[in-house]
Amino acid sequence: MTSAPRYTLRWSAQAERNVDEVAARIARRDPAAANAWVERVIKHVEDTTTIPLAGRIVPELNRPDLRETFLERYRIVYRVDEHVVILVTVFAGQRDGRPDDADPDAG
């Protein structure tokens, strides 16, 4: 039995900034917790490359190519192209704003 091909993963500049900002906030209280959180985010995001359409369609945007998953209280929004998953943004679910604050077509 062969496994499904993995998609290539790319991070947008926005997503990288988001993760860095959250990690910096956590690190002010607990640097080890910040490192552990970043590792969980990376693993979670890498998992989307196996079955990218398993994430739900972002309800505010209703675009089939834009999906989201959740890690703890964080929403992870990504765009699915032919064989590429592009991480668009990562933000706390209760944050004011919407996933379209970031450019979903950036990558």
Side-chain angles (χ1 to χ4, degrees):
M1 180 174 182
T2 61
S3 62
R6 291 180 67 96
Y7 283 57
T8 301
L9 176 64
R10 289 194 344 231
W11 287 57
S12 71
Q14 177 70 44
E16 289 176 359
R17 280 191 304 275
N18 297 146
V19 170
D20 287 347
E21 290 167 3
V22 172
R25 282 196 306 271
I26 295 170
R28 287 194 290 268
R29 293 184 318 274
D30 186 345
N35 288 336
W37 181 81
V38 169
E39 288 178 17
R40 284 193 311 277
V41 169
I42 291 169
K43 166 89 172 77
H44 188 86
V45 169
E46 287 175 348
D47 287 348
T48 65
T49 64
T50 304
I51 308 174
L53 297 180
R56 78 174 188 175
I57 293 174
V58 177
E60 300 92 333
L61 303 176
N62 199 30
R63 284 179 44 181
D65 64 327
L66 288 177
R67 302 289 174 139
E68 70 181 352
T69 62
F70 296 86
L71 177 65
E72 300 162 359
R73 64 187 191 117
Y74 294 92
R75 290 175 74 180
I76 298 173
V77 178
Y78 60 94
R79 182 167 49 102
V80 181
D81 282 341
E82 255 183 73
H83 295 287
V84 179
V85 169
I86 301 167
L87 183 62
V88 175
T89 188
V90 177
F91 64 95
Q94 79 279 3
R95 181 192 84 175
D96 289 335
R98 296 167 30 122
D100 57 354
D101 290 343
D103 181 1
D105 296 315

Short mmCIF file of all heavy atoms in Angstrom, two decimals, residues 63-95:
data_model
loop_
_atom_site.label_atom_id
_atom_site.label_comp_id
_atom_site.label_asym_id
_atom_site.label_seq_id
_atom_site.Cartn_x
_atom_site.Cartn_y
_atom_site.Cartn_z
N ARG A 63 -13.89 30.24 0.95
CA ARG A 63 -13.12 29.88 -0.24
C ARG A 63 -12.62 28.46 -0.07
O ARG A 63 -11.96 28.17 0.94
CB ARG A 63 -11.91 30.82 -0.40
CG ARG A 63 -12.26 32.18 -0.92
CD ARG A 63 -11.06 33.10 -1.05
NE ARG A 63 -9.87 32.49 -1.63
CZ ARG A 63 -8.73 33.15 -1.79
NH1 ARG A 63 -8.63 34.42 -1.43
NH2 ARG A 63 -7.69 32.54 -2.33
N PRO A 64 -12.90 27.57 -1.00
CA PRO A 64 -12.49 26.17 -0.84
C PRO A 64 -10.98 25.97 -0.73
O PRO A 64 -10.53 24.97 -0.18
CB PRO A 64 -13.03 25.47 -2.07
CG PRO A 64 -13.83 26.44 -2.82
CD PRO A 64 -13.66 27.79 -2.20
N ASP A 65 -10.20 26.93 -1.22
CA ASP A 65 -8.74 26.78 -1.13
C ASP A 65 -8.18 27.26 0.20
O ASP A 65 -7.03 26.99 0.52
CB ASP A 65 -8.05 27.51 -2.29
CG ASP A 65 -8.26 29.00 -2.26
OD1 ASP A 65 -9.34 29.47 -1.82
OD2 ASP A 65 -7.35 29.74 -2.69
N LEU A 66 -8.97 27.97 1.00
CA LEU A 66 -8.52 28.46 2.30
C LEU A 66 -9.09 27.60 3.40
O LEU A 66 -10.31 27.48 3.55
CB LEU A 66 -8.94 29.92 2.52
CG LEU A 66 -8.19 30.94 1.69
CD1 LEU A 66 -8.75 32.33 1.93
CD2 LEU A 66 -6.70 30.91 2.00
N ARG A 67 -8.22 26.98 4.17
CA ARG A 67 -8.61 26.04 5.21
C ARG A 67 -8.03 26.49 6.54
O ARG A 67 -7.11 27.30 6.59
CB ARG A 67 -8.08 24.64 4.88
CG ARG A 67 -8.53 24.09 3.55
CD ARG A 67 -9.99 23.75 3.60
NE ARG A 67 -10.52 23.35 2.32
CZ ARG A 67 -11.38 22.36 2.16
NH1 ARG A 67 -11.78 21.65 3.19
NH2 ARG A 67 -11.84 22.09 0.96
N GLU A 68 -8.59 25.93 7.60
CA GLU A 68 -8.04 26.24 8.91
C GLU A 68 -8.11 25.02 9.81
O GLU A 68 -8.96 24.15 9.64
CB GLU A 68 -8.76 27.42 9.56
CG GLU A 68 -10.17 27.15 10.00
CD GLU A 68 -10.83 28.36 10.62
OE1 GLU A 68 -10.17 29.39 10.85
OE2 GLU A 68 -12.03 28.27 10.89
N THR A 69 -7.17 25.00 10.73
CA THR A 69 -7.16 24.02 11.80
C THR A 69 -6.92 24.80 13.08
O THR A 69 -6.63 26.00 13.05
CB THR A 69 -6.07 22.95 11.61
OG1 THR A 69 -4.80 23.58 11.63
CG2 THR A 69 -6.25 22.18 10.31
N PHE A 70 -7.02 24.11 14.18
CA PHE A 70 -6.86 24.76 15.47
C PHE A 70 -5.81 24.03 16.28
O PHE A 70 -5.74 22.81 16.27
CB PHE A 70 -8.19 24.77 16.23
CG PHE A 70 -9.24 25.58 15.54
CD1 PHE A 70 -10.02 25.02 14.55
CD2 PHE A 70 -9.43 26.91 15.86
CE1 PHE A 70 -10.98 25.76 13.88
CE2 PHE A 70 -10.39 27.66 15.20
CZ PHE A 70 -11.16 27.08 14.21
N LEU A 71 -5.00 24.81 16.98
CA LEU A 71 -4.03 24.28 17.92
C LEU A 71 -4.21 25.08 19.20
O LEU A 71 -3.91 26.28 19.22
CB LEU A 71 -2.59 24.42 17.39
CG LEU A 71 -1.50 23.96 18.34
CD1 LEU A 71 -1.61 22.45 18.59
CD2 LEU A 71 -0.13 24.31 17.80
N GLU A 72 -4.73 24.41 20.21
CA GLU A 72 -5.09 25.09 21.44
C GLU A 72 -6.03 26.24 21.09
O GLU A 72 -7.04 26.00 20.43
CB GLU A 72 -3.83 25.55 22.18
CG GLU A 72 -2.92 24.40 22.55
CD GLU A 72 -1.51 24.80 22.88
OE1 GLU A 72 -1.17 26.00 22.82
OE2 GLU A 72 -0.72 23.89 23.19
N ARG A 73 -5.73 27.45 21.46
CA ARG A 73 -6.63 28.57 21.16
C ARG A 73 -6.26 29.31 19.88
O ARG A 73 -6.81 30.36 19.59
CB ARG A 73 -6.67 29.54 22.33
CG ARG A 73 -5.34 30.21 22.61
CD ARG A 73 -5.41 31.02 23.90
NE ARG A 73 -4.25 31.86 24.01
CZ ARG A 73 -4.27 33.17 24.03
NH1 ARG A 73 -5.40 33.81 23.94
NH2 ARG A 73 -3.16 33.86 24.13
N TYR A 74 -5.35 28.75 19.11
CA TYR A 74 -4.87 29.42 17.91
C TYR A 74 -5.51 28.86 16.64
O TYR A 74 -5.63 27.65 16.48
CB TYR A 74 -3.34 29.32 17.83
CG TYR A 74 -2.69 30.09 18.95
CD1 TYR A 74 -2.38 29.46 20.15
CD2 TYR A 74 -2.46 31.45 18.82
CE1 TYR A 74 -1.83 30.18 21.19
CE2 TYR A 74 -1.90 32.17 19.86
CZ TYR A 74 -1.60 31.52 21.05
OH TYR A 74 -1.06 32.25 22.08
N ARG A 75 -5.89 29.76 15.77
CA ARG A 75 -6.39 29.39 14.44
C ARG A 75 -5.21 29.42 13.48
O ARG A 75 -4.44 30.38 13.45
CB ARG A 75 -7.45 30.38 13.96
CG ARG A 75 -8.74 30.29 14.73
CD ARG A 75 -9.72 31.36 14.33
NE ARG A 75 -10.31 31.07 13.02
CZ ARG A 75 -11.20 31.86 12.43
NH1 ARG A 75 -11.59 32.98 13.01
NH2 ARG A 75 -11.69 31.53 11.26
N ILE A 76 -5.08 28.37 12.70
CA ILE A 76 -4.00 28.25 11.73
C ILE A 76 -4.66 28.20 10.36
O ILE A 76 -5.38 27.25 10.04
CB ILE A 76 -3.16 26.99 11.99
CG1 ILE A 76 -2.51 27.12 13.38
CG2 ILE A 76 -2.13 26.78 10.89
CD1 ILE A 76 -1.78 25.88 13.84
N VAL A 77 -4.46 29.25 9.57
CA VAL A 77 -5.11 29.39 8.27
C VAL A 77 -4.08 29.12 7.18
O VAL A 77 -2.97 29.67 7.22
CB VAL A 77 -5.72 30.80 8.10
CG1 VAL A 77 -6.37 30.95 6.72
CG2 VAL A 77 -6.74 31.07 9.21
N TYR A 78 -4.47 28.28 6.23
CA TYR A 78 -3.56 27.94 5.15
C TYR A 78 -4.32 27.86 3.83
O TYR A 78 -5.53 27.69 3.80
CB TYR A 78 -2.81 26.64 5.44
CG TYR A 78 -3.68 25.42 5.63
CD1 TYR A 78 -3.96 24.57 4.57
CD2 TYR A 78 -4.22 25.11 6.87
CE1 TYR A 78 -4.75 23.44 4.74
CE2 TYR A 78 -5.02 24.00 7.05
CZ TYR A 78 -5.28 23.16 5.99
OH TYR A 78 -6.07 22.05 6.15
N ARG A 79 -3.56 28.01 2.76
CA ARG A 79 -4.13 27.94 1.40
C ARG A 79 -3.59 26.70 0.73
O ARG A 79 -2.40 26.39 0.83
CB ARG A 79 -3.75 29.18 0.61
CG ARG A 79 -4.34 29.21 -0.79
CD ARG A 79 -4.20 30.60 -1.43
NE ARG A 79 -2.87 31.13 -1.35
CZ ARG A 79 -1.99 31.13 -2.34
NH1 ARG A 79 -2.30 30.63 -3.52
NH2 ARG A 79 -0.80 31.66 -2.18
N VAL A 80 -4.47 25.99 0.04
CA VAL A 80 -4.07 24.77 -0.66
C VAL A 80 -4.02 25.05 -2.15
O VAL A 80 -5.02 25.46 -2.75
CB VAL A 80 -5.06 23.61 -0.38
CG1 VAL A 80 -4.63 22.35 -1.10
CG2 VAL A 80 -5.21 23.37 1.11
N ASP A 81 -2.85 24.88 -2.73
CA ASP A 81 -2.68 24.97 -4.17
C ASP A 81 -2.45 23.56 -4.69
O ASP A 81 -2.57 22.60 -3.94
CB ASP A 81 -1.50 25.88 -4.53
CG ASP A 81 -1.86 27.36 -4.40
OD1 ASP A 81 -3.05 27.69 -4.38
OD2 ASP A 81 -0.92 28.17 -4.31
N GLU A 82 -2.08 23.43 -5.95
CA GLU A 82 -1.95 22.10 -6.56
C GLU A 82 -1.24 21.10 -5.69
O GLU A 82 -1.80 20.08 -5.32
CB GLU A 82 -1.24 22.23 -7.90
CG GLU A 82 -2.20 22.08 -9.05
CD GLU A 82 -1.47 22.13 -10.36
OE1 GLU A 82 -0.78 21.15 -10.69
OE2 GLU A 82 -1.59 23.16 -11.03
N HIS A 83 -0.01 21.33 -5.35
CA HIS A 83 0.74 20.41 -4.49
C HIS A 83 1.49 21.17 -3.41
O HIS A 83 2.53 20.71 -2.93
CB HIS A 83 1.71 19.56 -5.32
CG HIS A 83 1.00 18.64 -6.27
ND1 HIS A 83 0.33 17.52 -5.85
CD2 HIS A 83 0.82 18.71 -7.60
CE1 HIS A 83 -0.23 16.92 -6.89
NE2 HIS A 83 0.06 17.63 -7.96
N VAL A 84 0.93 22.32 -3.03
CA VAL A 84 1.58 23.18 -2.05
C VAL A 84 0.55 23.61 -1.01
O VAL A 84 -0.57 23.97 -1.34
CB VAL A 84 2.18 24.44 -2.72
CG1 VAL A 84 2.84 25.35 -1.70
CG2 VAL A 84 3.17 24.06 -3.81
N VAL A 85 0.97 23.57 0.25
CA VAL A 85 0.20 24.15 1.35
C VAL A 85 0.95 25.40 1.77
O VAL A 85 2.15 25.33 2.08
CB VAL A 85 0.07 23.18 2.53
CG1 VAL A 85 -0.49 23.88 3.76
CG2 VAL A 85 -0.79 21.98 2.16
N ILE A 86 0.27 26.54 1.74
CA ILE A 86 0.90 27.81 2.11
C ILE A 86 0.27 28.27 3.42
O ILE A 86 -0.92 28.55 3.47
CB ILE A 86 0.72 28.87 1.03
CG1 ILE A 86 1.32 28.38 -0.28
CG2 ILE A 86 1.36 30.19 1.47
CD1 ILE A 86 0.93 29.19 -1.48
N LEU A 87 1.08 28.31 4.47
CA LEU A 87 0.60 28.80 5.75
C LEU A 87 0.41 30.30 5.63
O LEU A 87 1.34 31.03 5.32
CB LEU A 87 1.59 28.45 6.85
CG LEU A 87 1.18 28.83 8.25
CD1 LEU A 87 -0.10 28.10 8.65
CD2 LEU A 87 2.29 28.53 9.22
N VAL A 88 -0.82 30.76 5.85
CA VAL A 88 -1.16 32.17 5.67
C VAL A 88 -0.98 32.96 6.96
O VAL A 88 -0.34 33.99 6.99
CB VAL A 88 -2.60 32.33 5.13
CG1 VAL A 88 -3.01 33.80 5.06
CG2 VAL A 88 -2.73 31.67 3.77
N THR A 89 -1.59 32.49 8.05
CA THR A 89 -1.54 33.23 9.31
C THR A 89 -1.84 32.31 10.47
O THR A 89 -2.46 31.26 10.32
CB THR A 89 -2.54 34.42 9.28
OG1 THR A 89 -2.35 35.24 10.43
CG2 THR A 89 -3.97 33.97 9.22
N VAL A 90 -1.36 32.71 11.64
CA VAL A 90 -1.63 32.02 12.90
C VAL A 90 -2.03 33.10 13.89
O VAL A 90 -1.30 34.08 14.05
CB VAL A 90 -0.37 31.29 13.42
CG1 VAL A 90 -0.63 30.64 14.77
CG2 VAL A 90 0.12 30.27 12.40
N PHE A 91 -3.19 32.94 14.52
CA PHE A 91 -3.60 33.94 15.49
C PHE A 91 -4.53 33.34 16.54
O PHE A 91 -5.14 32.31 16.31
CB PHE A 91 -4.25 35.15 14.81
CG PHE A 91 -5.54 34.85 14.09
CD1 PHE A 91 -6.76 35.04 14.72
CD2 PHE A 91 -5.53 34.38 12.79
CE1 PHE A 91 -7.94 34.77 14.06
CE2 PHE A 91 -6.70 34.12 12.11
CZ PHE A 91 -7.92 34.31 12.75
N ALA A 92 -4.59 34.02 17.68
CA ALA A 92 -5.47 33.57 18.76
C ALA A 92 -6.91 33.69 18.29
O ALA A 92 -7.30 34.70 17.69
CB ALA A 92 -5.23 34.40 20.01
N GLY A 93 -7.69 32.68 18.53
CA GLY A 93 -9.07 32.63 18.06
C GLY A 93 -9.94 33.75 18.56
O GLY A 93 -10.87 34.17 17.88
N GLN A 94 -9.66 34.31 19.74
CA GLN A 94 -10.49 35.37 20.27
C GLN A 94 -9.99 36.76 19.87
O GLN A 94 -10.58 37.75 20.21
CB GLN A 94 -10.61 35.27 21.79
CG GLN A 94 -9.42 35.79 22.55
CD GLN A 94 -8.27 34.80 22.64
OE1 GLN A 94 -8.32 33.72 22.09
NE2 GLN A 94 -7.22 35.16 23.33
N ARG A 95 -8.92 36.81 19.10
CA ARG A 95 -8.35 38.09 18.68
C ARG A 95 -9.35 38.86 17.83
O ARG A 95 -10.09 38.28 17.03
CB ARG A 95 -7.09 37.84 17.84
CG ARG A 95 -6.43 39.13 17.36
CD ARG A 95 -5.39 38.84 16.33
NE ARG A 95 -6.04 38.74 15.03
CZ ARG A 95 -5.42 38.59 13.88
NH1 ARG A 95 -4.12 38.47 13.86
NH2 ARG A 95 -6.07 38.52 12.75
#
